Amino acid sequence: MKESVAIVSFFMLLSFFVKAQQTPRVDQRQQNQKERVQQGVASGELTRNETAHAVQDQRHIRKAERRAKADGTVTGRERARLHRKQNKASRELRRNKNDQQDRPSAN
């Protein structure tokens, strides 16, 4: 009995790690985007509205990623959809950071 519980626990733990590792490129791109947003805020390149929009975009991407992982498998179509969403968010962030609008300083 104890042995079967240990085996079941092992496979549950293993499946958790497999699910967490199904989209490493998506996860890395999200981390890169987060750093780009933080850098844009620190440098004043992003206004409050632009920052809020970038954060909302990343939230939507995370939500879509969770939905894709929900059934235990991320299909090629789901992965492509995630990459398209990230490409769009990246383009918008680049445009916003380089649009010559500066965040007013707190001084």
Side-chain angles (χ1 to χ4, degrees), residues 39-100:
Q39 186 274 333
V41 169
S43 68
E45 293 175 319
L46 292 175
T47 65
R48 278 184 167 74
N49 287 339
E50 290 169 344
T51 302
H53 192 263
V55 169
Q56 183 179 26
D57 285 345
Q58 292 307 305
R59 187 177 305 126
H60 287 303
I61 292 168
R62 281 193 309 274
K63 190 174 181 181
E65 183 182 13
R66 281 195 305 271
R67 277 193 308 263
K69 289 181 177 181
D71 63 354
T73 303
V74 179
T75 65
R77 181 176 284 180
E78 290 169 332
R79 188 172 282 112
R81 184 171 182 230
L82 290 170
H83 285 295
R84 280 194 306 272
K85 286 178 176 284
Q86 287 180 320
N87 289 342
K88 182 180 177 196
S90 181
R91 277 192 308 273
E92 288 178 5
L93 182 58
R94 183 182 66 244
R95 287 181 188 136
N96 287 335
K97 285 180 73 172
N98 295 303
D99 66 359
Q100 304 304 315

Side-chain angles (χ1 to χ4, degrees), residues 12 15 22 26 32 44 68 76 86:
M12 288 178 64
S15 69
Q22 283 186 344
V26 172
N32 292 347
Q86 287 180 320

Side-chain angles (χ1 to χ4, degrees), residues 29-46:
R29 287 187 70 183
Q30 283 180 291
Q31 182 62 34
N32 292 347
Q33 290 288 81
K34 181 180 177 182
E35 291 170 5
R36 287 176 62 199
V37 170
Q38 290 172 345
Q39 186 274 333
V41 169
S43 68
E45 293 175 319
L46 292 175

